[in-house]
Amino acid sequence: MPLIARDALDLSADQRDFIALAQDFALNEIRPRAREVDDAQTESPLDLWTKAAKIGLASFMIPAEYGGGGLTDMVTQLLVQEQLCYGDIGIGNFVTSSGFFADPILELGTEEQKDRWLRPLTTDAPPVTALATTEPDYGSDAAGIQTRAVRDGDHYVLSGQKTWISNAPYAQRFVIFATVDPALRSRGVTAFVVERDTPGLTVGKPMRKMGQRGIVNAELFLDDVRVPVADRLGEEGQGFFGLMRTFDASRILIGASCAGLSRAALDYATDYAKNRRQFGKPIIEHQAVAFRLADMAVRTDTAHLTAVRAAQLFDRGERVTTEAAMAKLVGSENAMANTWGAVQTLGGWGYSQEFLVEKWMRDAKLEEIEEGTSDIQRLIISRALAS
Ligand SMILES: Cc1cc2nc3c(=O)[nH]c(=O)nc-3n(C[C@H](O)[C@H](O)[C@H](O)COP(=O)(O)OP(=O)(O)OC[C@H]3O[C@@H](n4cnc5c(N)ncnc54)[C@H](O)[C@@H]3O)c2cc1C
């Protein structure tokens, strides 16, 4: 994979060096483990987590004042994410998963809270963390969550259930969204940082799933979990704003992950098509195959460029909810189409577990679902058109 495919971005030497480090880790550490982690079903590669942490890949996005790498701009995050997910999207997303926990803290937290919870993420052995908002009856309708936060002196008492929480089986610390009054909907949503060993918090069994098994999911059960008021992020009712700001960033990064996966599928299928011969010539010389690869190249670059545009606006401090929704929508649908195209290009071998393309097709599907389905991204984009 070229470092950045003929990109017009003007990158500094530091950015290029770090992206090259991510590329090296993706090719030499992540890709060789992709099949084994998929086969394991419900085990994250914790050894890769530690290795990534030691070379700064797990915390480069944390501001330097809290001990992180300080490469906080969204363009760098996007380019690194793309490289890691070229190796394997599930493992790549696991390696950078601290960012999803850190974002609401950066958005809503006090200086003391940022120092308390971000600094540990930058050590050589960082805690695995998670963000929990989805509930069994409230997924797309995130403003409707029912997990209650009831004030009791200098504590809140949290009760409810969360589902599909990425990293939950390993997480030592969670950002949990609850409501101080369900009738207030989004204006009642409030965010808390909760330690795993807090009495009343239990984590369910790892959930078996279609793809992206490098990240393991589970339910959370909250039964009168007492959380100090000092561990609330922002004011009561500010949680939904923090969550939406987190999604503005994370949806751009999903676009980037998908651009990396799309390029992996393109490269794999192109190499195969140059070497596989049918009817006396390489199959890339059959126009149907060549045109499919051309479409895959266009989809890869479209995913990349849509995410870059959103990242550049984000870095200028602009509100990017619509552009981030576009980056996620285009990226995920293009990754689905490209991984399908790779399976098709390999013919019968595309369907075999000897090759990774069947796994990539399963991996891609998640990105059309998590952090807002494609329907929800279309809803966001269409609302912007209607406003
Ligand atoms: C592998 C995985 C990892 C995840 N990780 C996390 C995590 O770390 N933390 C977390 O909090 N959550 C996580 N989630 C949850 C994820 O964000 C939700 O699954 C997602 O938002 C969809 O919610 P739902 O599953 O309840 O589907 P539903 O909301 O029930 O949607 C079902 C269908 O109805 C459609 N639909 C719903 N409302 C509308 C509407 N208004 N207009 C049009 N169509 C609509 C949807 O598009 C979808 O097709 C994860 C999910 C998965 C599968």
Side-chain angles (χ1 to χ4, degrees), residues 126-297:
V128 174
T129 53
L131 178 153
T133 178
T134 305
E135 299 180 358
D137 293 328
Y138 291 86
S140 300
D141 184 8
I145 57 169
Q146 300 289 308
T147 294
R148 291 298 304 268
V150 177
R151 181 85 185 243
D152 179 21
D154 56 3
H155 282 75
Y156 284 87
V157 181
L158 269 53
S159 317
Q161 187 180 339
K162 299 289 176 186
T163 191
W164 277 118
I165 305 310
S166 298
N167 279 346
Y170 299 104
Q172 292 170 37
R173 197 163 285 142
F174 299 84
V175 170
I176 295 181
F177 292 84
T179 178
V180 291
D181 179 357
L184 293 175
R185 288 192 45 90
S186 63
R187 286 175 294 113
V189 175
T190 307
F192 301 88
V193 174
V194 184
E195 302 294 326
R196 187 199 183 90
D197 58 6
T198 312
L201 177 69
T202 47
V203 178
K205 281 197 303 219
M207 298 161 90
R208 287 167 68 94
K209 61 185 200 282
M210 181 191 284
Q212 294 211 26
R213 295 168 179 162
I215 290 199
V216 186
N217 295 74
E219 292 183 301
L220 291 189
F221 302 94
L222 297 112
D223 184 11
D224 290 341
V225 177
R226 292 183 69 79
V227 180
V229 172
D231 295 356
R232 185 188 70 208
L233 294 172
E235 299 300 322
E236 285 188 2
Q238 280 190 337
F240 195 75
F241 168 77
L243 182 63
M244 292 304 115
R245 288 291 291 167
T246 297
F247 282 158
D248 283 351
S250 66
R251 286 174 182 157
I252 298 173
L253 295 175
I254 288 183
S257 303
C258 290
L261 175 58
S262 289
R263 191 174 298 286
L266 169 68
D267 287 356
Y268 212 98
T270 304
D271 278 354
Y272 187 87
K274 285 178 180 166
N275 292 304
R276 172 73 173 172
R277 297 176 72 85
Q278 288 293 294
F279 298 93
K281 56 185 180 184
I283 60 170
I284 200 166
E285 292 178 21
H286 295 296
Q287 198 182 58
V289 175
F291 278 17
R292 183 163 54 239
L293 293 171
D295 286 344
M296 287 167 68

Side-chain angles (χ1 to χ4, degrees), residues 1-7 23 31 82-83 85-87 256-271 296-305 331 334-335 338-339 342 360:
M1 181 192 188
L3 184 55
I4 298 160
R6 287 170 60 81
D7 214 314
Q23 181 182 41
R31 179 70 68 84
E82 229 177 56
Q83 295 293 338
C85 292
Y86 182 86
S257 303
C258 290
L261 175 58
S262 289
R263 191 174 298 286
L266 169 68
D267 287 356
Y268 212 98
T270 304
D271 278 354
M296 287 167 68
V298 174
R299 282 192 213 105
T300 302
D301 278 12
T302 312
H304 169 80
L305 293 168
N334 287 4
N338 267 25
T339 51
W360 289 341

